[in-house]
Amino acid sequence: MERFSRTAVLTFDRPPAHVLDATSLRELATQLDALEADRDISTLVITGAGERFFCAGDDLNMYDGISPAVARELTCLLAAVVTRLHDFSGLTLAAINGWCLGAGLECALACDIRIAERHARLGLPEGRVGLLPCGGGTATLARQIGRGWAKRLILCGETVDVETAERIGLVEQSVAGGESLPAALALAQQAARQSPTALAATKRLIDASQGAALTKALASERAAFGTLFETADAAEGVAAFLGKREPVWTHDRSRNR
């Protein structure tokens, strides 16, 4: 793990394809717990080492010869990582620097924003080995790109290039080779100007609004504004704007978890 100011960068680094085994999934969950508790971190970026792979998914060796009960336990390890990424109260970005498949794509889908290099390819090909996405892929992919494209990727085992991924909304930005991490860090720097307290509250509202009735979403927004107005960051933000200075945030995300 590296740190750039208030941004942490977690790198998949298990050559050659950075596949995930039980040990690496446990380590990721532990690191994510520590980062969530760290008030000096407001943004998280995940990426892959090298130039070819972001993460090619689960290490199939860990499924060889095991019982269904053990397989279910292993899926819980991936679910724990994906849940921690999704629930991280700060901004999360996936800097997709190469092949992004299976559990790798599910981790990217759990992030708030995905930036992909133009040579990357993305997909959920688990059906080719008699399995299915077990890190939220069947639910999150359909919400992200619609049921038709989600079925095409999953049921046909299709991988898409970044041009297609950007067109269908699977990634938010495409960049040249080697530029995904710098682009993610630039966005992280923009986010660092926001109040971490406000960012956490707003992120939760956006996620909760998906599928919710508009009247309920608007009521939640008003309630969250009132709660946020009671925080030190709200007073500081207004005072800094009126005083024409940069705000000094408390960096306390816990008020809005």
Side-chain angles (χ1 to χ4, degrees), residues 56-80:
D58 284 342
D59 184 349
L60 293 181
N61 287 302
M62 68 179 175
Y63 295 123
D64 187 30
I66 64 173
S67 69
V70 174
R72 291 187 181 95
E73 292 175 5
L74 290 173
T75 66
C76 290
L77 295 179
L78 175 58

Side-chain angles (χ1 to χ4, degrees), residues 36 87-90 195-205 220 223-234 250 252-257:
E36 181 63 67
D87 292 345
F88 189 77
S89 53
S195 155
T197 312
L199 191 151
T202 307
K203 173 177 171 175
R204 193 175 65 252
L205 279 173
S220 297
F225 182 91
T227 300
L228 194 63
F229 201 76
E230 299 173 357
T231 66
D233 273 6
T250 62
D252 183 7
R253 303 187 301 264
S254 62
R255 289 293 299 272
N256 287 285
R257 288 180 189 162

Side-chain angles (χ1 to χ4, degrees), residues 13 210 247:
D13 192 3
Q210 303 305 299

Side-chain angles (χ1 to χ4, degrees), residues 30-78:
T30 299
Q31 288 178 311
L32 290 168
D33 282 341
L35 290 171
E36 181 63 67
D38 190 340
R39 290 177 58 181
D40 290 329
I41 295 298
S42 59
T43 308
L44 170 64
V45 178
I46 59 172
T47 192
E51 301 175 353
R52 292 188 58 205
F53 290 95
F54 173 78
C55 172
D58 284 342
D59 184 349
L60 293 181
N61 287 302
M62 68 179 175
Y63 295 123
D64 187 30
I66 64 173
S67 69
V70 174
R72 291 187 181 95
E73 292 175 5
L74 290 173
T75 66
C76 290
L77 295 179
L78 175 58

Side-chain angles (χ1 to χ4, degrees), residues 1-2 6-11 28 31-33 35-36 41-47 81 84-95 107 110-113 181 184-185 188 191 199 203 253:
M1 182 179 67
E2 296 179 276
R6 302 188 65 83
T7 300
V9 178
L10 287 180
T11 303
L28 275 170
Q31 288 178 311
L32 290 168
D33 282 341
L35 290 171
E36 181 63 67
I41 295 298
S42 59
T43 308
L44 170 64
V45 178
I46 59 172
T47 192
V81 169
R84 283 163 170 80
L85 280 170
H86 181 271
D87 292 345
F88 189 77
S89 53
L91 176 69
T92 53
L93 303 105
C107 287
C111 293
D112 299 312
I113 298 171
L181 182 56
L185 292 174
L199 191 151
K203 173 177 171 175
R253 303 187 301 264

